Amino acid sequence: MKKKAFITGIAGQDGSYLAELLTKKGYKVFGIIRRNSTVEHQKSRLEHLDKDVEISYGDLLNESSLHQLLKKIQPNEIYNLAAQSHVRVSFEIPQFTIKTNALGVANILEAYRLNSRNAKFYQASSSEMFGRSVDKDGYQRETTPFQPTSPYGCAKVFAFNMVKHYRIAYKLFACNGILFNHESPRRGSNFVTNKVVKTAVRIKLGLEKKLKLGNINSYRDWGHSKDYVEAMRLILNYKKPDDWVIATGQTRSVKQMTDYVFNKLKLNKKKHIFIDKKYFRPEELKYLRGDSTKAKKYLKWKPNYRFEEMLDEMIDFWMDHYERS
Ligand code: F7E
């Protein structure tokens, strides 16, 4: 019989790549999306998977839909990827972020415990939980304490602890993937990599003149979403439930990332880039660099994409997009 996976956040970057990966592996995939007044584009990343993916309306804050769906589907694997995922926005709408990213996780954990406890559960935990905390050697790993610097990070720490608590208290196969930043052409264009690439391509094509950025001196460990959804699957298919850091081990500043894109497109940075206070955060997370030794050793996971290759793919995507439209 086909394995069944249930994915929240299925229409997002990670959800859609994960649905692609799992259907290729022979899974039947189920997912929930929230109702939206503009139905166009909502399922655009999933249209090519139509026959292997079944979508229902649902929400982490609408508990009854979670209970009903899990009871009916009886999935083998549950991937909780739904979230208010934008860190800067979490300062503007902290309560909504906390409801979705913290209470929402408590809701789905209860639905899981009460209706499909034989399933394995994956929680999209985040490097944002580390916040100010860095080990002496300049890395963050599974043992690094959490010191979050945003409402988003605080909510993710709550969710992380709940998953661990459910694993111990109820003996559930519940896991956390502590994923560092991961990007792709499907990344929302209000996240910094895709904002830089999309705007630079528009400048190159004469459609725009300025790129306005916030803190270009923060460092991130950027990988490719396709590599990271593979890690999610490996985490749930390991012999025991656990928590795992997934990262490339390399760090670069926003400035270095922007330099690469502008050089590649032969654009003059001084002419087009402006710093705008609007994009700064009340507290900045300055530095991320993950150590995935544990995932490499036990899950046999490693990233395949190089940083430059990922940015090149994103540049090609936007070039193609504007040349076709
Ligand atoms: O910012 C700086 C900004 O919004 C990266 C989410 O997936 O990864 C992501 O969170 C850095 C920050 O990602 C702009 O201050 C400068 O230092 O692309 P981002 P993020 O906040 O790191 C973690 C792991 C998650 O879990 C989250 O869900 O870039 N930055 N100028 C800017 N950032 C944005 N968005 N826009 C700017 O104009």
Side-chain angles (χ1 to χ4, degrees):
M1 223 178 52
K2 274 192 167 192
K3 265 191 174 180
K4 289 179 280 184
F6 179 77
I7 306 175
T8 71
I10 192 167
Q13 168 188 257
D14 292 1
S16 60
Y17 281 128
L18 180 64
E20 265 170 27
L21 173 74
L22 295 179
T23 51
K24 260 192 218 136
K25 300 250 173 224
Y27 285 62
K28 170 84 188 170
V29 173
F30 299 82
I32 50 169
I33 56 169
R34 269 171 306 148
R35 201 202 86 85
N36 192 319
S37 52
T38 45
V39 76
E40 289 80 15
H41 309 306
Q42 227 194 334
K43 290 195 275 178
S44 58
R45 291 164 174 156
L46 300 165
E47 267 150 18
H48 59 298
L49 302 172
D50 238 10
K51 72 174 177 20
D52 299 309
V53 176
E54 215 174 291
I55 308 285
S56 313
Y57 284 112
D59 193 302
L60 291 183
L61 298 178
N62 194 73
E63 293 160 74
S64 60
S65 62
L66 300 175
H67 285 262
Q68 279 167 28
L69 285 166
L70 291 182
K71 193 169 184 179
K72 189 173 99 191
I73 297 166
Q74 290 298 314
N76 304 88
E77 295 171 13
I78 301 169
Y79 295 87
N80 185 39
L81 312 185
Q84 190 301 91
S85 65
H86 203 284
V87 175
R88 191 182 54 77
V89 172
S90 80
F91 292 97
E92 285 172 31
I93 46 169
Q95 292 95 334
F96 174 76
T97 304
I98 292 161
K99 278 184 196 156
T100 309
N101 299 4
L103 180 62
V105 180
N107 288 344
I108 192 165
L109 280 170
E110 271 298 89
Y112 161 43
R113 178 175 80 86
L114 296 171
N115 298 288
S116 59
R117 57 168 297 125
N118 292 326
K120 296 174 175 184
F121 183 93
Y122 174 89
Q123 165 62 13
S125 285
S126 162
S127 54
E128 187 70 21
M129 301 188 302
F130 293 120
R132 288 168 227 111
S133 196
V134 189
D135 286 358
K136 282 208 178 77
D137 64 354
Y139 288 87
Q140 287 111 348
R141 46 179 63 86
E142 290 82 359
T143 48
T144 308
F146 298 140
Q147 290 192 54
T149 53
S150 62
Y152 173 89
C154 293
K156 285 283 180 182
V157 171
F158 172 88
F160 174 93
N161 284 323
M162 282 294 278
V163 169
K164 211 166 166 175
H165 163 58
Y166 269 55
R167 178 162 79 223
I168 297 165
Y170 303 115
K171 305 198 170 28
L172 294 169
F173 199 110
C175 311
N176 286 291
I178 308 173
L179 270 49
F180 281 59
N181 298 53
H182 45 286
E183 320 293 311
S184 77
R186 294 187 193 172
R187 184 60 139 154
S189 52
N190 56 350
F191 293 90
V192 77
T193 53
N194 220 10
K195 175 176 171 178
V196 167
V197 173
K198 181 182 176 184
T199 314
V201 166
R202 286 175 61 81
I203 293 171
K204 183 74 186 174
L205 297 174
L207 300 169
E208 205 143 354
K209 288 200 163 59
K210 289 182 182 172
L211 168 62
K212 292 183 188 166
L213 290 173
N215 180 13
I216 58 170
N217 296 316
S218 60
Y219 282 77
R220 290 292 182 273
D221 177 331
W222 280 293
H224 195 296
S225 171
K226 273 192 179 175
D227 284 337
Y228 287 39
V229 299
E230 173 64 22
M232 295 176 191
R233 190 188 68 85
L234 292 172
I235 288 171
L236 289 200
N237 284 278
Y238 188 61
K239 61 185 177 211
K240 64 179 179 69
D242 207 343
D243 307 319
W244 306 86
V245 160
I246 303 298
T248 69
Q250 294 178 9
T251 191
R252 291 176 178 87
S253 66
V254 173
K255 183 177 176 304
Q256 286 171 323
M257 182 271 293
T258 307
D259 283 349
Y260 178 81
V261 175
F262 272 64
N263 288 339
K264 183 88 189 182
L265 290 168
K266 300 193 172 53
L267 289 172
N268 181 346
K269 273 186 22 170
K270 286 202 179 107
K271 214 169 127 192
H272 300 290
I273 298 183
F274 299 86
I275 300 301
D276 187 335
K277 288 271 174 250
K278 183 169 115 188
Y279 297 107
F280 280 73
R281 297 159 187 200
E283 186 178 359
E284 291 282 340
L285 192 167
K286 297 196 183 96
Y287 177 93
L288 286 174
R289 183 178 197 177
D291 173 10
S292 284
T293 304
K294 180 174 157 186
K296 284 184 181 144
K297 182 166 175 200
Y298 296 103
L299 303 177
K300 311 285 175 228
W301 175 83
K302 66 169 175 46
N304 290 314
Y305 273 86
R306 282 183 307 108
F307 175 72
E308 293 80 8
E309 214 181 328
M310 179 182 81
L311 291 175
D312 290 349
E313 187 187 314
M314 292 164 74
I315 293 172
D316 289 347
F317 170 86
W318 285 112
M319 274 292 179
D320 243 43
H321 172 86
Y322 286 114
E323 278 164 7
R324 268 191 280 115
S325 58

